[in-house]
């Protein structure tokens, strides 16, 4: 196993590899544990390798050894080894969907260099925006700012300052997203009111360093590791791998403060939505929501239809599901307490509604994210 545990995503891949290897009875050695060195491997000593190839010299070393190899890293030119990776187009689409749900109609996209993964995330993001893609402003910056930090920061700050507000911002990885959140503070840019930010990776240290908890797309690290082991076993057994990379969809989105808003131009409706968020746990009906903002039910329903294209009941349900997803991921609370915090009457009601809206029961949704963290 030639994978460096630098980020939580890489560690999750390693966990997936290790667990599946144990199930198959493999003896697993790793350069991360100083068992082996990629440059010192010999084909007679090993049956195969799982590598996160991110450097041409590592790719060349493995090619010279002549072992079956599965690549869980980057796409570096001509493909010498079968590759398992994230579905980057799906990642972009998921981020766009999240911002569209929050009623944004102006968007930014901050990419990192010319990496293929970044280009595909951008492609998926713009494709999901559809006609609104004409309202998306894109900027590319290197992932590595060492030696050019001040120059790149100034360039991104100027870009952010010129963006029309409010806007939803998709940043193709959490490292850049953390930088954006830090820059927003110095610019006086309110997050999420002026700029809602979505990153990629769920890198726990980046989230700890960020001034505001970051909403992020969670990558399928454990599943990539497991499938890499199964693919390598088939190759060892003599099967020919397919030419096209195997792409695995992201787990989902962890909703945090950086995108916890709804972008509407109408100030009166914005006030109604702020009241709804603040009192969601009270189980508001449409009539109670109208009374809480000193308005008629007819006025509230008209505002929602005019500006959001949905009924107040549909928006209340959207907010309830948003809060339920957030609580399920971030806490161990029993479903009865989760239901109450979302304004639902019981755990049974939460389970029924959540399954209908999200496609899986609350317990399954929570387990998917917990498996990644473990």
């Amino acid at each position: 196993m030639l994978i460096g545990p630098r980020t939580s995503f890489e560690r999750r891949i390693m966990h997936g590899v290790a667990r599946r290897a144990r199930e198959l009875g493999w003896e697993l050695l790793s350069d991360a544990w100083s068992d082996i060195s990629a440059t010192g491997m010999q084909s007679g000593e090993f049956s195969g390798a799982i590598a996160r190839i991110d450097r041409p010299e590592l790719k060349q070393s493995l090619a010279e050894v002549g072992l079956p190899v599965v690549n869980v890293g980057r796409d570096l030119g001509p493909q010498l080894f079968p590759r398992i990776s994230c579905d980057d187009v799906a990642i972009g689409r998921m981020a766009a969907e999240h911002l569209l749900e929050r009623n944004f109609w102006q968007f930014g996209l901050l990419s990192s260099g010319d990496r293929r993964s970044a280009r595909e995330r951008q492609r998926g993001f713009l494709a999901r925006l559809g006609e609104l893609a004409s309202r998306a402003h894109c900027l590319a910056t290197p992932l590595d700012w060492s030696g050019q930090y001040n120059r790149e920061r100034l360039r991104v700050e100027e870009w952010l300052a010129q963006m029309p507000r409010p806007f939803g911002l998709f940043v193709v990885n959490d490292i850049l997203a953390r930088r954006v959140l830090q820059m927003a503070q110095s610019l006086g840019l309110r997050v999420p009111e002026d700029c809602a930010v979505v990153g990629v990776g769920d890198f726990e240290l980046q989230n700890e360093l960020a001034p505001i908890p970051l909403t992020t797309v969670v990558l399928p690290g454990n599943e990539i590791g497991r499938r890499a082991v199964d693919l390598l076993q088939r190759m060892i057994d003599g099967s020919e791998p397919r030419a096209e990379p195997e792409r695995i969809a992201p787990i989902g989105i962890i909703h945090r403060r950086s995108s916890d808003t709804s972008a509407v131009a109408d100030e009166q409706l914005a006030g109604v939505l702020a009241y709804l968020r603040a009192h969601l746990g009270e189980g508001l009906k449409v009539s109670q929501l109208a009374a809480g903002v000193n308005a008629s039910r007819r006025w509230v329903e008209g505002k929602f239809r005019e500006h959001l294209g949905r009924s107040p009941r549909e928006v209340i349900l959207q907010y309830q599901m948003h809060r339920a997803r957030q609580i399920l991921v971030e806490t161990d609370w029993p479903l009865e307490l989760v239901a109450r915090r979302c304004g639902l009457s019981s755990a049974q009601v939460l389970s029924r509604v959540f399954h209908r809206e999200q496609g899986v029961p609350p317990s399954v949704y929570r387990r998917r994210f917990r498996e990644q963290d473990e």
Side-chain angles (χ1 to χ4, degrees):
M1 180 168 62
L2 305 174
I3 303 171
R6 295 167 297 182
T7 67
S8 54
F9 174 56
E10 289 168 317
R11 290 192 290 276
R12 288 164 181 164
I13 295 176
M14 294 176 72
H15 277 293
V17 170
R19 289 171 179 167
R20 184 57 178 151
R22 185 167 58 246
E23 293 171 1
L24 295 179
W26 283 11
E27 180 181 2
L28 185 64
L29 304 179
S30 172
D31 62 343
W33 306 329
S34 300
D35 295 331
I36 54 174
S37 168
T39 56
M41 293 178 61
Q42 297 183 20
S43 59
E45 297 178 299
F46 298 92
S47 301
I50 295 171
R52 186 157 171 77
I53 299 176
D54 55 5
R55 306 183 315 277
E57 56 269 26
L58 175 57
K59 180 179 179 181
Q60 183 60 35
S61 295
L62 291 171
E64 292 173 356
V65 174
L67 288 170
V69 174
V70 174
N71 179 17
V72 293
R74 293 174 58 190
D75 180 7
L76 297 175
Q79 181 174 299
L80 298 182
F81 313 111
R83 180 167 169 259
I84 298 180
S85 67
C86 302
D87 186 336
D88 290 299
V89 172
I91 289 169
R93 294 181 66 89
M94 186 173 286
E97 184 71 35
H98 179 80
L99 293 172
L100 288 170
E101 286 179 356
R102 276 140 194 81
N103 308 302
F104 283 95
W105 66 97
Q106 300 173 125
F107 305 91
L109 188 148
L110 183 60
S111 188
S112 59
D114 60 351
R115 289 192 173 187
R116 180 172 179 173
S117 60
R119 295 198 303 270
E120 292 190 347
R121 290 172 190 181
Q122 176 172 332
R123 180 160 62 90
F125 183 77
L126 296 176
R128 179 59 188 87
L129 292 183
E131 294 180 356
L132 290 176
S134 62
R135 295 177 173 267
H137 304 264
C138 303
L139 179 69
T141 180
L143 179 61
D144 183 1
W145 284 12
S146 57
Q148 53 186 339
Y149 181 85
N150 290 334
R151 184 185 69 190
E152 288 301 323
R153 174 164 183 151
L154 179 61
R155 196 163 70 92
V156 175
E157 283 183 344
E158 290 177 346
W159 179 72
L160 290 171
Q162 295 171 4
M163 289 288 292
R165 305 179 188 182
F167 66 99
L169 176 60
F170 174 45
V171 188
V172 297
N173 62 68
D174 282 355
I175 298 172
L176 285 176
R178 184 260 304 166
R179 294 172 187 160
V180 166
L181 294 178
Q182 291 171 331
M183 285 184 274
Q185 282 193 320
S186 63
L187 290 170
L189 191 65
R190 298 177 303 161
V191 177
E193 292 81 7
D194 295 330
C195 169
V197 181
V198 179
V200 178
D202 193 30
F203 299 163
E204 75 275 18
L205 185 56
Q206 298 298 327
N207 194 47
E208 290 292 334
L209 292 171
I212 297 172
L214 174 65
T215 294
T216 184
V217 180
V218 181
L219 305 179
N222 266 290
E223 185 63 20
I224 288 175
R226 291 184 62 87
R227 293 204 195 182
V229 171
D230 288 337
L231 175 55
L232 183 56
Q233 183 64 65
R234 293 196 298 271
M235 293 169 63
I236 293 170
D237 293 338
S239 297
E240 284 291 327
R242 64 183 188 182
E244 288 297 314
E246 183 176 352
R247 305 191 186 279
I248 302 177
I251 298 294
I253 284 187
I254 292 183
H255 307 72
R256 298 191 179 105
R257 173 62 183 155
S258 71
S259 67
D260 188 14
T261 188
S262 180
V264 291
D266 187 279
E267 292 185 2
Q268 292 176 315
L269 179 56
V272 176
L273 294 174
Y275 182 89
L276 173 58
R277 286 195 296 272
H279 297 269
L280 187 64
E282 300 172 14
L284 295 175
K285 306 297 183 185
V286 179
S287 58
Q288 295 168 321
L289 175 61
V293 296
N294 297 316
S296 69
R297 176 169 180 156
R298 183 176 180 178
W299 180 88
V300 169
E301 290 181 338
K303 282 287 185 182
F304 276 62
R305 289 292 186 187
E306 178 184 358
H307 294 280
L308 303 180
R310 285 167 287 172
S311 69
R313 181 172 302 197
E314 289 172 322
V315 175
I316 290 172
L317 177 60
Q318 174 191 330
Y319 277 42
Q320 288 172 327
M321 292 299 97
H322 173 203
R323 182 165 295 180
R325 293 193 300 264
Q326 185 175 20
I327 295 174
L328 288 168
V329 169
E330 296 182 351
T331 75
D332 292 316
W333 292 354
L335 293 186
E336 196 67 41
L337 179 56
V338 177
R340 290 204 300 271
R341 291 300 177 92
C342 297
L344 297 170
S345 59
S346 67
Q348 289 77 15
V349 172
L350 170 66
S351 296
R352 184 177 70 251
V353 174
F354 194 93
H355 196 171
R356 183 188 71 212
E357 297 297 322
Q358 305 299 319
V360 295
S363 58
V364 173
Y365 186 86
R366 171 179 272 168
R367 186 168 65 249
R368 284 180 179 175
F369 286 93
R370 291 300 161 82
E371 286 173 352
Q372 292 301 305
D373 288 338
E374 290 169 1

